Amino acid sequence: MKKRLGIFLTAITILPLATACVGGGTNGADNAENADTLQKIVVNDFENSADMGMLLIGNKLGKVSLQENADYVKAGGRSAKLSVTGQASFGTPYLYQTFDIPDREEYSDFTKNVKMTLWVYNDDAEVHSLRAEYRFAAGTLGSTEIELGAKEWTMLNYEIDRQYLPFDANGDYYSCLGVYFYFDISASGSAYDLYFDELSLYRTEKGFNKSVMFLDEHEICSFDHAYQHSLLTVTDDYFDLQASLSISQDYAERDRDFNLKVSAPAGSTPFLNGGGWPGIEINQTILEMFDFSNYDDSDEFCFDVYSPKENGLDYVWVTFRNSQNWEVFKDGPARVLTKGQWQTIRISVGEINATAERPEEYGFIDTARIMVRWGEFVGEDRVAYFNNFRMELK
């Protein structure tokens, strides 16, 4: 394949997103602009078998059923009861609510939707966490996590920042196929009950300000562009081990050089003894902007990482997946991090294609997910900094 050696500057004009929050209020200029014109659409009020047919469970969630006890109903006569069991070996238990419903395009057209709400009752004596994440035909927005107080109702108020909706090569926005809800596993290991009621979307006919997202030459994600600060993504498994992500200038080598700070919590089972593999990934909206066909086998995928001497991560592993979600490349031996200095991780396109099935079609050229993982560890929490995911020509 022939390399393009000119200026590689991707600039895409798209329509603006809001942030996610808990409670009845709203954040963000997008919702403030439309506050008086929002149309509430009840997508699922969990009243009958047709409503329950919009749901899918996975990873040993447990049982989901209709119930009529008024103590656990927020609107109407019924609600959905979720008996959350889960097993760590099966990954994070989840429930999926589809928006891809015939003749109801208003559910999946997120160019008009500005937020989603859901009432959740936690019937356990223990506080639990719930994470929500929209899923599109391609790409994602960031997820949001809320705390569910014991024996009380909580409203999930998940706003939609339309500025960062994923789009295809023609600039057309992808439909939102649905929303995933991920649940933690009880600390005691026993099942607990949650109740869902009245999942709603809020629509507006007003437009929103256009913005521009762009990548510099050969950049995948530098964390230096303002829009990248809102598109930080953890991998969608190992809920109890997921890291906290923030934009940082710690250990910066020049002014205005931002990086991604990863604060990774300790677990209970080291990865060598069968523990988990949490991680981060490049947000798919950003990956949609990058043309992977520009690079030959000799070119290298690179990123920089800093692991502090006192509490840094010890190892990382890199994984590539394609548009079929096939694992194209996965590190073998651990990449040992040198503490107290920036180091560059390099993987050639040829290395990635060497382990891919039909690399000319489904290899590096078809990259859809790039993940960096670390093995579960015990003891104190740990930190690492990531920067400048990029390609280098060789």
Side-chain angles (χ1 to χ4, degrees), residues 287-307:
L287 290 185
E288 286 285 323
M289 299 166 59
F290 192 83
D291 188 352
F292 290 90
S293 69
N294 283 336
Y295 301 95
D296 291 339
D297 281 357
S298 60
D299 298 328
E300 293 179 334
F301 165 77
C302 309
F303 64 91
D304 303 324
V305 57
Y306 186 98
S307 182

Side-chain angles (χ1 to χ4, degrees), residues 9 21-22 27 66-67 80 85 101 119 124 147 169 238 264 299 370:
L9 180 66
C21 63
V22 180
N27 288 353
L66 283 173
Q67 72 84 39
T85 307
I101 301 171
W119 283 106
D124 198 15
E147 183 177 276
Y238 302 109
D299 298 328
I370 302 175

Side-chain angles (χ1 to χ4, degrees), residues 327-330 350-357:
E327 193 170 80
V328 173
F329 173 86
K330 182 178 180 179
E351 288 179 79
I352 296 167
N353 283 336
T355 58
E357 181 179 347

Side-chain angles (χ1 to χ4, degrees), residues 257-277:
D257 183 17
F258 293 94
N259 56 57
L260 175 65
K261 180 180 180 180
V262 174
S263 301
S268 58
T269 306
F271 69 91
L272 290 173
N273 295 332
W277 297 88

Side-chain angles (χ1 to χ4, degrees), residues 149-198:
K151 301 291 183 179
E152 66 182 26
W153 285 101
T154 302
M155 175 183 274
L156 168 68
N157 188 355
Y158 190 2
E159 297 191 9
I160 300 161
D161 192 337
R162 297 183 290 171
Q163 181 176 358
Y164 303 126
L165 291 173
F167 49 85
D168 63 20
N170 297 319
D172 297 325
Y173 293 102
Y174 289 111
S175 297
C176 183
L177 299 182
V179 59
Y180 278 90
F181 299 100
Y182 295 97
F183 307 91
D184 61 9
I185 299 173
S186 176
S188 65
S190 58
Y192 64 93
D193 294 334
L194 300 177
Y195 297 84
F196 277 16
D197 208 358
E198 198 174 80

Side-chain angles (χ1 to χ4, degrees), residues 3 15 99 101 156 174 196 230 320 374 379 392:
K3 298 177 187 175
L15 296 178
F99 294 150
I101 301 171
L156 168 68
Y174 289 111
F196 277 16
S230 299
F320 280 71
W374 53 90
E392 291 188 2

Side-chain angles (χ1 to χ4, degrees), residues 41-42 85 103 116 124 172 206 232 239 242 279 281 285 377:
I41 301 172
V42 178
T85 307
D103 302 321
M116 181 197 77
D124 198 15
D172 297 325
K206 289 187 176 182
L232 310 180
F239 186 94
Q242 287 177 349
E281 63 178 293
T285 295
F377 55 87

